[in-house]
Amino acid sequence: MRRTLLIAALLTATPLLAHDGVKDPQVMARMDGMAAIGAATKTLGDMAKGQTPLHQAKARMARDTIVTQAGKISTLFEPEASDPKSEALPNIWTDWADFTAKGEALKAAAKGLDFTDQAALAASMRTLGGSCAACHKVYRK
Ligand code: HEC
């Protein structure tokens, strides 16, 4: 029961209407994956900043979401799909090995999240945030 509520809470945190007007289903799917990563990162960031209490089960679920979604990046981005609303840059597909390595780095950073206490979470979140920035800086508009 408690677990179901947590799942419901995480799903609600995903902005389902954020992609209005996206027509290409593949672009939609990869945006949804990133949006789930974004929502989970926000959950963890709020705990790291002390805006919400560090809740072990919620933190672990958010971590698992990031690990799972990071593992899907290479599959979701493999087709060179485009959409006027997409923020993906074309060098993703010319520098594919580097792009997917950055996806793996995200996964490793998520696996390395430390929930011991707020300080440990905040420190490990910096590595996680660095992995988002490393990819967005090069491959996102
Ligand atoms: C391997 C590269 C890569 C990594 C790592 C990565 N992203 Fe992204 N992200 C992208 C790309 C590319 C887009 C644009 C996708 C598009 O618009 O087609 C994007 C888009 C997004 C979006 C917008 C989704 C939407 O609603 O359109 C969010 C939010 C986001 N990323 C959050 C994150 C967060 C938070 C992290 C780290 C925890 C992260 N991303 C790590 C490549 C990455």
Side-chain angles (χ1 to χ4, degrees):
M1 181 60 186
R2 192 149 162 253
R3 195 175 159 80
T4 314
L5 284 176
L6 286 176
I7 292 168
L10 277 178
L11 289 177
T12 319
T14 310
L16 293 172
L17 296 172
H19 309 142
D20 267 2
V22 176
K23 301 219 167 50
D24 186 278
Q26 192 63 41
V27 170
M28 181 70 105
R30 73 192 185 206
M31 283 178 164
D32 282 345
M34 278 296 155
I37 291 173
T41 303
K42 184 178 183 322
T43 299
L44 292 166
D46 287 349
M47 291 182 201
K49 284 181 261 172
Q51 285 172 356
T52 52
L54 174 50
H55 185 295
Q56 295 289 331
K58 278 188 195 169
R60 282 169 210 284
M61 275 186 65
R63 186 252 338 258
D64 291 350
T65 296
I66 301 172
V67 171
T68 304
Q69 293 299 331
K72 291 183 183 171
I73 288 177
S74 58
T75 309
L76 286 175
F77 279 89
E78 195 172 20
E80 194 172 346
S82 61
D83 189 284
K85 298 251 172 172
S86 173
E87 296 174 330
L89 290 173
N91 56 343
I92 290 173
W93 296 281
T94 51
D95 301 334
W96 181 247
D98 180 64
F99 179 78
T100 54
K102 286 180 163 57
E104 286 303 313
L106 166 65
K107 192 172 167 183
K111 285 184 172 170
L113 285 169
D114 183 344
F115 306 123
T116 313
D117 55 28
Q118 192 189 329
L121 177 58
S124 57
M125 281 294 287
R126 279 193 279 281
T127 309
L128 183 78
S131 76
C132 316
C135 189
H136 288 172
K137 193 172 69 198
V138 191
Y139 297 111
R140 187 185 176 193
K141 281 178 203 164

